[in-house]
Amino acid sequence: MIRRSGLATVGMAITLTLTGCGSDSDNEMVFGGDPVTQCVRLPQDASMVIGEVVRAPAGADLVVKKIGLVDAKNVDTDKAFIVPLGSGRRPLSSAAYPPAANSTWAARMPAENATIRAGEEANLLLVVSRKSALDGSAAGMQIDWLGGSKANTTTYEFRADCAGA
């Protein structure tokens, strides 16, 4: 049996509470994690959908202004959508455009002025195309919302063949 004095127990409770609050990102928008590189197989003159997940802060809705790529080279973004996740929808990471018979894709809405409810997750989707024979790249995906902007830490490589990547 472990016994603690009253002050030690109170101190431990305060420490755990403060630590929990300090490390809990519920009140922050979450977009991205550890830096990764994602190779997307994108033949010349073809289009793909790439996606990332974002979570709105617990205390505020996010009103999306724009979704795009950071420092895009040899790749164009054509359209941007969001899909609220839930109701059994699974996020899309990348798929041929348009994804056929996909419940997540079917629930998409234009990103501009869309609202992600407080504490909820959404799939950000960009339609990208590569018009050149050169490989494409981007330093990340960026979301601009009413009151802020954030880029994720995913580096994208757009290639005709990802086998050597």
Side-chain angles (χ1 to χ4, degrees), residues 79-155:
K79 299 172 185 151
F81 303 98
I82 71 159
V83 177
L85 294 175
S87 303
R89 291 187 200 113
R90 296 177 8 165
L92 287 172
S93 175
S94 66
Y97 175 75
N102 184 298
S103 65
T104 299
W105 180 251
R108 75 193 180 284
M109 63 185 80
E112 188 174 340
N113 297 317
T115 298
I116 303 170
R117 297 285 175 219
E120 293 186 1
E121 290 185 330
N123 200 180
L124 307 181
L125 301 172
L126 281 174
V127 178
V128 296
S129 58
R130 191 168 63 88
K131 307 288 187 222
S132 164
L134 299 172
D135 289 341
S137 65
M141 185 183 291
Q142 181 168 321
I143 178 173
D144 298 333
W145 69 91
L146 193 60
S149 181
K150 186 171 184 177
N152 69 357
T153 56
T154 300
T155 300

Side-chain angles (χ1 to χ4, degrees), residues 25 27-34 52-57 62 64-70 124 126 139-154 156:
S25 60
N27 289 321
E28 296 179 19
M29 193 268 277
V30 178
F31 183 45
D34 294 333
E52 293 289 340
V53 174
V54 64
R55 186 180 76 215
L62 286 182
V64 178
K65 291 299 172 197
K66 183 173 86 171
I67 300 168
L69 293 175
V70 178
L124 307 181
L126 281 174
M141 185 183 291
Q142 181 168 321
I143 178 173
D144 298 333
W145 69 91
L146 193 60
S149 181
K150 186 171 184 177
N152 69 357
T153 56
T154 300
Y156 300 92

